[in-house]
């Protein structure tokens, strides 16, 4: 899949953690997104959908990023925050 390819390329560049296979990371990311979106639609996660999306994105970035300091830098870039493009 495209996600596996992107994660593999990130591992080669050293920006994605390499202690797990790209395929495994991709399945973990898909599972987090799917579970949270399904829970939201079933009414199990009340609240603002944009807040949930931001939470999922932050969790995903922290889960795959090789360098925790880079995560902070990514989250501080306003052009990467939804609504600021």
């Amino acid at each position: 899949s495209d996600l596996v390819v992107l994660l593999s390329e990130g591992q080669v560049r050293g920006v994605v953690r390499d202690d797990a296979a790209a395929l495994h990371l991709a399945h973990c990311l898909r599972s987090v997104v799917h579970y949270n979106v399904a829970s939201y639609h079933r009414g199990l996660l009340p609240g603002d959908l944009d807040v949930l999306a931001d939470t999922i994105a932050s969790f995903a970035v922290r889960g795959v990023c090789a360098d925790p300091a880079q995560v902070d830098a990514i989250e501080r870039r306003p052009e990467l925050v939804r609504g600021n493009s």
Side-chain angles (χ1 to χ4, degrees), residues 54 71-85:
D54 289 341
V71 173
D72 294 332
I74 290 167
E75 290 184 342
R76 284 192 308 267
R77 289 181 57 191
E79 70 271 16
L80 298 179
V81 175
R82 185 183 338 191
N84 291 328
S85 54

Side-chain angles (χ1 to χ4, degrees), residues 2-14:
D2 292 342
L3 182 54
V4 174
V5 171
L6 288 172
L7 290 168
S8 295
E9 290 172 355
Q11 287 176 323
V12 169
R13 291 184 12 233

